Structure formats: structure tokens, C-alpha cells
């Protein structure tokens, strides 16, 4: 399940690419005209190649902006002393994947096709509240693809893949990776500077084995970055040269021998645009490849520090910390993206854009129909024009153990809403929905001879106990709710059951403890 209606996406992309040729960067003079010509050539090439590949992929600067000296994240011990924050982010096809400073991976946005990788059986439309990806820890690099396939590298050098209806699973034979890029095929950069790749089935819903198992790309060494576009692989070497090879289009075929790309020298980083390559040289100039594979330069009046893009638009981060978008930008406007400061990284999702600030905050804008920008839409049509801040993601611990659910804990301005059915099951409590004449009347939550009764749209609940007379009425900061298809309650409800519940916003951690069970060790 690599793409969403690929034939429809291709038809739409043709129309978009044609209209994009009429878009021009803001500004006057020869520099702007050269940029327009170069951008048009790149988009034509992307449109032609996309028709052949028909598979949406997206890749952010997380994995393609590494230098030889910063290809990994500092140890968790050094990060735990600071407030939790994000250190990498990637925008994909209507969803987002982010890496947190404690080595955990969080995701939000669309989950209709299991893109988020939190369940193999149940789907829901979307979530803007970050949900932790299970099974992953001590992660140092992430990658996300348009077809819903995501990957991560852990500190031990292992690579894990998830999404498209699958939970995370370890990739066999890879034990010394430091970076990974997903797409039509997956590319891993190993710690010794060599490159491996493998392919998965492209058919939607396929459960078959790998088309091609992990295999070293012969002839590549001293590599510091990798990338992919369609069935083309790319590798940046320490000497600033860029090399490319072709993956086999059918099982049993062999991949081509890597060749050096002419015209690209003194390159410091690379990234992909679905169907082609973008390269940044050490002078801050961006280069692209036309439909024949020939290198050409983009011209504008500022130096670029980082870049990301796809077949629709290009996102640029300047050395002065400003963000620019050219092409069919996600907010319909070319040029400088306002309301951003202190930006250190960027990501060009298909219909939404993302920026990471120096304090570890993720900002999103553009299409937000699945809340992939990180917050509910702020304008009609499911759009966000002014960047919104994404939440950090809340960990829940039950009696000292990390609680993992396919539904997120939702931080609101007043409280944290918890997916109560999953919480009740983990606690051994009983949660019930009561109807009167076919209509919802109230909810009950029973635990350890105590029962709480909650009515919809009310900010209070009633506690009754089997060993005490009467009842108590307690106040809530907000009513019971429903989020991503799950019934949620303010965490304060659990205190009425005699549980010790605390919320630490600095650590993004909510703890739920039954003192009696902890003391008894059960």
C-alpha cells in the first residue's frame, strides 16, 4: 500500500504541474528571470517523470541535511536535563513524523490508511495531538514517504519501518546504519560510509516479502548523505561529488552501477523532489537536474542553508534564518514565509509545510484538512495560513509502566484528555456507556468499589462508593469529549477513583498510580 489512488494522483499532478509553470518567484531583474526559467525546467521534468513513477513520496531535511559531523543525535542522557523538544521533523502525504529529544518518535495527521503505524487493525481519520509510535526508542534519524512508509534509525544502528497499516518492524541485515531515506525503495547509509538499499512491494495492501532484500550498492564509499527519487538513488561523498544509480524496476533485475553526476561539485547536502534531485553547494547555491540528468543552477539574491522540496514546490532556509517557498506553495503564496523566526530546519510535505525552530518547536502551515499542520485549521477550507505550533506529545505512565495506545492523550488549555476505554482496560476498570430510549444518557467508570458517573456536556461528575453512604459531586475543568473516534475524559476523573494522578507539563508526562497496588508490588 504505497500510494493513495496513484492513477488519480498522477492525473492531478499533471494539471498542477502545468499550472505551476505560470508561477514565478517574487522580485525583478535577471536573477528572478533565471530562477523562473530554472524552476519551470525542473517542474516539467518532475511532471514527466512522475507520470512514469506514479508514486507520491516526500522527504524532509531531517535526513538529507546532515554533514559529516552531525549525522547523529546526542545521547539521551545529555538531553533529559532540558525540557523535552523536537529535534527533527518530516512532512509526508497529509501527515507528519517528528523525532523528540528523548529519542521517541511522534506522528500526527491522517491515519485513514494506517500511515501513522499505531495499529494494524483499526483506522481513524486524523489526529492533531501527537501519538507516540510504538516499539521505537533511542532513535537518531527519521524518514517519511508519501505512500505512508516511514523509517527510523536507532542508536544501535538498526533500521525500523512502519506505516501503510503496519506496526514498526526491524529490517534484517542492517545493524550499523546512521541514516535512512524511504521512497519507492529504501536507502540506508552505514556508519562506515557505504550504502545499502532494498525494495518493498508497490501494490497497495500487499503482504508479500521484500522485492529485493537489503543489499550493498557496489562501488560506493566515503558517503555522507543518501537520497532517492522514483527508482533513482543518490549518494553524496565527502569530496563533494554526487553519484547516482538506478534500482531494478522488476524483481530479479539487477541495479545499475553508480555513476558520477557531471556538473555537481563542492556539494554540501542533497535532497529529493519526488522525481529528481536538489543539491546545495558550499557557497549556498541550489542546483537541480533537468529531464536529461544535466545539472543547472537556481539563481536568487540570498544564500541557502537548507532546502527541501517535491514536485510541487521548493522550501528554502537562508543563512539568515528566513524561510522562502517557490512553486505551488502550500498556502498559495510564493516568497518569504512570515511569522517564523529562529528556524533551524524545514520540511516540504505534499500539502503542508513544516519548520523547526532553535528551541525545538515545530511550526506547520498550508493544508490542514487532516490536521497535519499540528493544530486544528484556522481558516475555511481546512487551511492554515499563519504557522501554528504543534504539541510536544504526552507520555502516560500507569503504575510506573509506559502506557501505549493507538489513541493520543490530548493536551488542552485546561487539562489532558485521556482515551478512557483503553485506560480503563489497562487499569482493570470498567467503563460503560448508558443509553435511555436509544439516546446517550451518561457514562460510568467503576474501579475498586468506586463508581463515577459523568453526563455529556457537564463539568462535574458524581462519585459513589460501595463502602460509604451518600455521594460526592466533583468539578471538572471541561466536559467529557470524543477525539479521533475515542471517548476521552479529563484526567481529574481518575482521582475520584482513589488514584494518584499528576501532570508534569515540562516533562510532557502524566502519571497514574494505584498506591495500594504499587505498595503490594502487584
Amino acid at each position: 500500500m504505497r500510494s493513495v489512488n496513484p492513477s488519480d494522483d498522477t492525473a492531478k499532478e499533471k494539471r498542477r504541474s502545468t499550472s505551476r509553470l505560470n508561477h514565478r518567484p517574487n522580485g525583478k531583474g535577471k536573477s528572478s528571470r533565471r530562477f523562473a526559467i530554472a524552476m519551470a525546467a525542473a517542474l516539467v521534468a518532475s511532471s514527466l517523470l512522475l507520470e512514469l513513477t506514479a508514486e507520491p513520496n516526500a522527504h524532509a531535511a531531517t535526513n538529507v541535511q546532515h554533514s559529516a559531523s552531525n549525522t547523529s543525535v546526542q545521547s539521551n542522557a545529555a538531553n533529559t536535563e532540558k525540557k523535552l523538544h523536537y529535534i527533527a521533523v518530516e512532512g509526508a502525504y497529509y501527515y507528519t513524523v517528528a523525532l523528540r529529544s528523548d529519542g521517541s518518535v511522534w506522528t500526527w495527521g491522517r491515519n485513514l490508511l494506517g500511515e501513522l503505524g499505531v495499529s494494524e487493525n483499526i483506522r481513524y481519520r486524523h489526529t492533531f495531538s501527537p501519538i507516540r509510535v510504538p516499539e521505537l526508542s533511542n532513535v537518531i534519524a527519521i524518514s517519511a514517504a508519501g505512500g505512508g512508509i516511514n523509517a527510523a534509525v536507532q542508536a544501535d544502528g538498526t533500521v525500523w519501518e512502519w506505516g501503510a497499516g503496519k506496526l514498526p518492524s526491524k529490517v534484517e541485515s542492517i545493524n550499523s546504519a546512521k541514516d535512512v531515506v524511504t521512497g519507492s525503495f529504501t536507502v540506508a547509509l552505514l556508519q562506515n560510509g557505504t550504502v545499502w538499499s532494498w525494495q518493498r512491494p508497490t501494490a497497495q495492501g500487499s503482504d508479500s516479502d521484500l522485492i529485493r532484500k537489503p543489499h550493498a550498492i557496489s562501488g560506493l564509499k566515503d558517503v555522507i548523505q543518501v537520497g532517492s527519487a522514483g527508482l533513482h538513488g543518490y549518494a553524496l561523498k565527502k569530496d563533494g561529488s554526487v553519484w547516482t544509480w538506478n534500482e531494478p524496476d522488476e524483481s530479479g533485475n539487477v541495479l545499475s552501477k553508480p555513476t558520477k553526476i557531471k556538473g555537481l561539485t563542492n556539494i554540501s547536502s542533497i535532497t529529493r523532489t519526488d522525481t529528481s534531485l536538489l543539491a546545495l553547494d558550499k557557497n549556498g547555491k541550489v542546483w537541480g537536474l533537468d529531464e536529461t540528468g544535466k545539472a543547472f543552477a537556481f539563481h536568487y539574491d540570498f544564500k541557502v542553508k537548507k532546502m527541501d522540496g517535491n514536485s510541487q514546490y521548493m522550501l528554502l532556509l537562508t543563512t539568515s534564518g528566513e524561510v522562502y517557498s517557490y512553486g505551488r506553495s502550500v498556502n498559495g503564496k510564493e516568497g518569504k514565509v512570515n511569522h517564523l523566526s529562529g528556524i533551524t530546519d524545514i520540511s516540504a510535505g505534499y500539502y503542508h509545510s513544516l519548520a523547526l525552530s532553535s528551541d525545538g518547536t515545530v511550526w506547520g502551515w498550508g493544508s490542514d484538512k487532516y490536521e497535519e499542520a499540528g493544530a486544528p485549521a484556522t481558516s475555511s477550507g481546512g487551511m492554515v495560513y499563519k504557522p501554528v505550533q504543534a504539541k510536544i506529545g504526552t507520555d502516560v505512565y500507569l503504575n510506573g509502566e509506559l502506557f501505549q495506545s493507538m489513541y493520543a492523550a490530548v493536551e488542552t488549555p485546561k487539562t489532558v484528555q485521556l482515551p478512557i476505554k483503553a485506560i480503563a482496560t489497562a487499569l482493570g476498570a470498567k467503563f460503560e456507556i448508558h443509553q435511555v430510549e436509544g439516546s446517550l444518557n451518561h457514562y460510568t467508570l467503576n474501579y475498586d468499589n468506586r463508581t463515577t458517573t459523568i453526563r455529556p456536556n457537564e463539568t462535574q461528575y458524581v462519585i459513589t462508593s460501595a463502602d460509604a453512604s451518600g455521594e460526592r459531586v466533583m468539578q471538572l475543568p471541561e466536559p467529557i469529549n470524543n477525539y479521533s473516534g475515542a471517548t476521552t475524559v479529563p484526567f481529574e476523573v481518575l482521582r475520584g477513583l482513589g488514584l494518584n494522578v499528576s501532570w508534569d507539563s515540562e516533562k510532557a508526562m502524566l502519571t497514574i498510580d494505584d498506591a495500594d497496588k504499587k505498595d503490594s508490588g502487584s
Side-chain angles (χ1 to χ4, degrees), residues 120-442:
E120 294 185 347
N121 303 313
I122 301 176
R123 308 285 186 268
Y124 48 80
R125 187 178 187 275
H126 67 275
T127 172
F128 79 80
S129 186
I131 183 167
R132 185 171 182 153
V133 179
E135 308 298 331
L136 301 178
S137 61
N138 298 316
V139 171
I140 61 173
I142 56 174
S143 180
I149 299 296
N150 316 293
V153 178
Q154 293 192 157
D156 61 2
T158 58
V159 176
W160 296 69
E161 291 183 314
W162 74 94
K166 300 294 183 181
L167 291 170
S169 61
K170 181 181 176 181
V171 177
E172 299 299 326
S173 305
I174 305 293
N175 297 298
S176 61
K178 66 177 182 180
D179 203 1
V180 65
V181 174
T182 58
S184 299
F185 62 101
T186 305
V187 188
L189 173 61
L190 303 193
Q191 296 168 7
N192 62 3
T194 61
V195 178
W196 286 55
S197 71
W198 59 95
Q199 283 181 262
R200 293 193 174 279
T202 56
Q204 294 189 24
S206 175
D207 291 323
S208 60
D209 294 333
L210 293 171
I211 293 177
R212 192 170 65 81
K213 294 182 178 180
H215 184 80
I217 306 299
S218 179
L220 286 180
K221 62 180 181 178
D222 296 327
V223 175
I224 59 174
Q225 282 184 290
V226 291
S228 70
L231 291 176
H232 300 290
Y234 299 99
L236 171 63
K237 291 190 175 183
K238 289 181 180 179
D239 62 6
S241 62
V242 181
W243 296 68
T244 184
W245 73 94
N246 293 333
E247 290 283 320
D249 56 358
E250 293 181 3
S251 179
N253 292 352
V254 297
L255 51 79
S256 68
K257 182 180 179 180
T259 58
K260 185 177 180 179
I261 299 178
K262 296 180 179 179
L264 293 181
T265 59
N266 203 30
I267 300 301
S268 61
S269 64
I270 59 175
T271 189
R272 68 185 179 196
T273 62
D274 297 336
T275 55
S276 190
L277 177 77
L278 289 176
L280 179 66
D281 68 23
K282 294 180 181 179
N283 295 319
K285 178 181 290 187
V286 177
W287 296 76
L289 299 179
D290 63 19
E291 65 272 17
T292 67
K294 184 179 180 180
F296 64 89
F298 291 95
H299 297 278
Y300 33 78
D301 299 326
F302 48 77
K303 288 187 176 182
V304 176
K305 180 181 179 181
K306 292 189 177 183
M307 63 195 171
D308 196 28
N310 54 44
S311 59
Q312 300 187 70
Y313 71 103
M314 182 190 301
L315 206 59
L316 306 171
L317 174 62
T318 71
T319 53
S320 61
E322 297 176 322
V323 178
Y324 287 80
S325 182
Y326 290 115
R328 191 178 178 86
S329 300
V330 296
N331 60 359
K333 179 183 177 181
E334 289 187 306
K336 182 180 176 181
V337 180
N338 296 319
H339 310 293
L340 292 174
S341 62
I343 301 303
T344 59
D345 210 348
I346 50 176
S347 174
Y350 265 79
Y351 302 111
H352 70 297
S353 296
L354 299 158
L356 180 67
S357 62
S358 57
D359 64 357
T361 299
V362 169
W363 300 89
W365 67 97
S367 174
D368 198 40
K369 62 189 298 185
Y370 296 100
E371 300 184 337
E372 59 268 35
T378 55
S379 299
S380 60
M383 291 294 296
V384 170
Y385 293 102
K386 180 180 179 181
V388 293
Q389 181 179 343
K391 298 290 186 181
I392 192 63
T394 298
D395 277 321
V396 177
Y397 284 83
L398 297 182
N399 294 318
E401 298 292 330
L402 178 64
F403 169 74
Q404 185 72 56
S405 170
M406 63 174 289
Y407 296 105
V410 184
E411 181 185 353
T412 73
K414 296 182 179 180
T415 184
V416 175
Q417 293 266 353
L418 299 175
I420 190 57
K421 289 183 180 179
I423 291 287
T425 299
L427 284 171
K430 186 177 182 180
F431 177 76
E432 292 183 298
I433 301 174
H434 301 269
Q435 295 183 334
V436 175
E437 297 181 353
S439 298
L440 174 63
N441 184 264
H442 65 279

Side-chain angles (χ1 to χ4, degrees), residues 36-59:
I37 293 172
M39 194 66 182
L43 292 172
V44 169
S46 294
S47 178
L48 292 173
L49 289 171
L50 187 64
E51 184 175 359
L52 297 176
T53 57
E55 181 176 5
N57 296 307
H59 179 69

